[in-house]
Amino acid sequence: MPAPGARRPGGRTAKVRRAVLDATQEALAASGFHALNMDRIAAGAGVGKTTVYRRWGSPAALVADLLDDMAEQSLPAADTGGLAGDLRANAALVLETLTDPRMGPVFRAVVAAAACDEECARALGGFYRTRLAEWAPVAVRAEARGELPPGTDPLELLRAVSAPLYYRFAVTHEELTPADAERAVTATLAAAAAGAFVPDGP
């Protein structure tokens, strides 16, 4: 049986889903995961409470479906013609998202939700697997151009770019700046050149 919210129908049902997910995102941005209330989501979306409870069943299922939707709607990976430019574009996208007045609080809420709810944790993991897969060709192209050692793991390369930014965002709650993004890219390029992301490499 599919998980609540997993179907992707069209027509009126799709409009209901869009309205509910928009209301969920708005509520997460305003109040966080622990204040997420199904009745208020239904009211904000302009749909019946029974519809929301029947289709999603829990706040965690709402967050999980929202993350699925966000992954589907994410921008495609950059292709600047060079590895450094592509990684800078990746870091800039992460920075822009986490510092956005609306999306920053949304991501803070879903990270908090994932820390205490297994369904949210699986959904957040799925979101990032989707995004990493979208950006993996950056490394494949770079290796073909001779910019990366053969066998470089694309996912580890990309994780190295975003990890310092997420650490400041979610763990130490420091203000993120373009300098932080540039530092992450510079460190990743140096580590990649040394073969740090080649399995069983140095």
Side-chain angles (χ1 to χ4, degrees), residues 17-93:
R17 178 176 181 255
R18 177 79 273 138
V20 169
L21 294 185
D22 287 348
T24 300
Q25 188 179 93
E26 184 69 34
L28 287 173
S31 305
F33 173 69
H34 293 291
L36 204 61
N37 178 281
M38 302 281 280
D39 291 0
R40 287 199 289 269
I41 294 299
V47 302
K49 290 186 292 185
T50 56
T51 298
V52 176
Y53 280 97
R54 183 175 64 249
R55 178 163 181 186
W56 286 274
S58 70
L62 282 169
V63 173
D65 197 18
L66 176 63
L67 283 164
D68 287 346
D69 182 70
M70 288 165 59
E72 293 166 4
Q73 303 299 324
S74 294
L75 295 173
D79 184 0
T80 67
L83 178 62
D86 289 349
L87 294 187
R88 286 191 177 95
N90 181 269
L93 179 59

Side-chain angles (χ1 to χ4, degrees), residues 151-176:
T152 294
D153 186 327
L155 304 189
E156 291 303 324
L157 175 79
L158 293 163
R159 288 188 182 105
V161 174
S162 59
L165 303 178
Y166 276 99
Y167 181 85
R168 289 174 180 267
F169 173 78
V171 178
T172 60
H173 296 273
E174 299 174 64
E175 181 180 357
L176 287 171

Side-chain angles (χ1 to χ4, degrees), residues 112-157:
C116 62
D117 184 274
E118 184 59 33
E119 184 175 7
C120 291
R122 287 194 301 270
L124 186 61
F127 172 84
Y128 283 112
R129 282 191 297 274
T130 298
R131 294 307 296 143
L132 288 169
E134 177 73 28
W135 280 81
V138 162
V140 176
R141 293 192 300 263
E143 185 175 329
R145 291 190 297 260
E147 295 180 287
L148 286 172
T152 294
D153 186 327
L155 304 189
E156 291 303 324
L157 175 79

